Amino acid sequence: MKTFESGNTVLLVLEIGEDVNESLEKLSEQYGNKFATISGIGACDLVSLNFYDIKTKKYYEKVLEEDVELISLMGNLTLKDGKPFAHIHGTFGDDKYQTWSGHVSKAIVSVTAEIVVTFTDMQVSRELNEDVGIYLIP
């Protein structure tokens, strides 16, 4: 994990084998757990995508175990139960130009990931919303 800073913006460059979520949460700790927005691109070879079904209040998982391009990554950093939480969504594509997208719970880098993180002065915590069954920004 390499970082490059300019003001409140950090370029996070991940290397082979690093997990995007874990790296973002580690970066959040290093920068005082401030609210941040995230965007990025790269390549991965193990990805776990999730879709939340509001009716059943369950996440459904799709695991990609192949080389895929990280076409678009976007989201934010907040706190959940007092710990850094990377809430990210992504779109991934294969060599047949097929794409998958959803909530990213794991993404292991296969070549690189180049992620821009813009921090703010806010500290934002998520709380469990009983009506929908997930942690939301109140």
Side-chain angles (χ1 to χ4, degrees):
M1 179 169 102
K2 294 181 270 186
T3 58
F4 304 89
E5 287 183 52
S6 177
N8 63 342
T9 302
V10 177
L11 171 60
L12 175 65
V13 179
L14 301 182
E15 298 172 342
I16 296 170
E18 293 185 292
D19 182 274
V20 171
N21 294 61
E22 288 177 8
S23 298
L24 285 166
E25 290 168 358
K26 182 178 177 182
L27 183 73
S28 178
E29 286 181 343
Q30 292 172 0
Y31 286 81
N33 295 318
K34 299 294 185 184
F35 178 81
T37 57
I38 298 163
S39 68
I41 58 173
C44 298
D45 58 10
L46 175 60
V47 176
S48 176
L49 295 173
N50 296 272
F51 174 81
Y52 188 72
D53 185 331
I54 189 70
K55 293 175 192 150
T56 62
K57 295 186 179 178
K58 287 184 174 180
Y59 277 103
Y60 294 92
E61 180 181 48
K62 172 144 184 85
V63 176
L64 308 174
E65 295 184 81
E66 59 187 287
D67 289 324
V68 290
E69 292 285 335
L70 171 50
I71 297 165
S72 176
L73 183 76
M74 61 186 322
N76 57 51
L77 290 170
T78 58
L79 291 171
K80 178 180 166 187
D81 294 329
K83 296 179 182 169
F85 177 68
H87 182 202
I88 51 178
H89 291 205
T91 301
F92 299 83
D94 67 12
D95 62 351
K96 296 175 186 69
Y97 302 97
Q98 178 177 358
T99 59
W100 296 273
S101 57
H103 177 86
V104 180
S105 60
K106 176 180 271 228
I108 305 299
V109 174
S110 61
V111 178
T112 189
E114 302 161 352
I115 304 169
V116 177
V117 182
T118 304
F119 286 94
T120 71
D121 291 329
M122 298 183 289
Q123 197 167 55
V124 177
S125 294
R126 296 179 173 275
E127 295 177 8
L128 180 61
N129 180 306
E130 298 287 344
D131 293 334
V132 294
I134 58 176
Y135 285 78
L136 300 175
I137 297 171

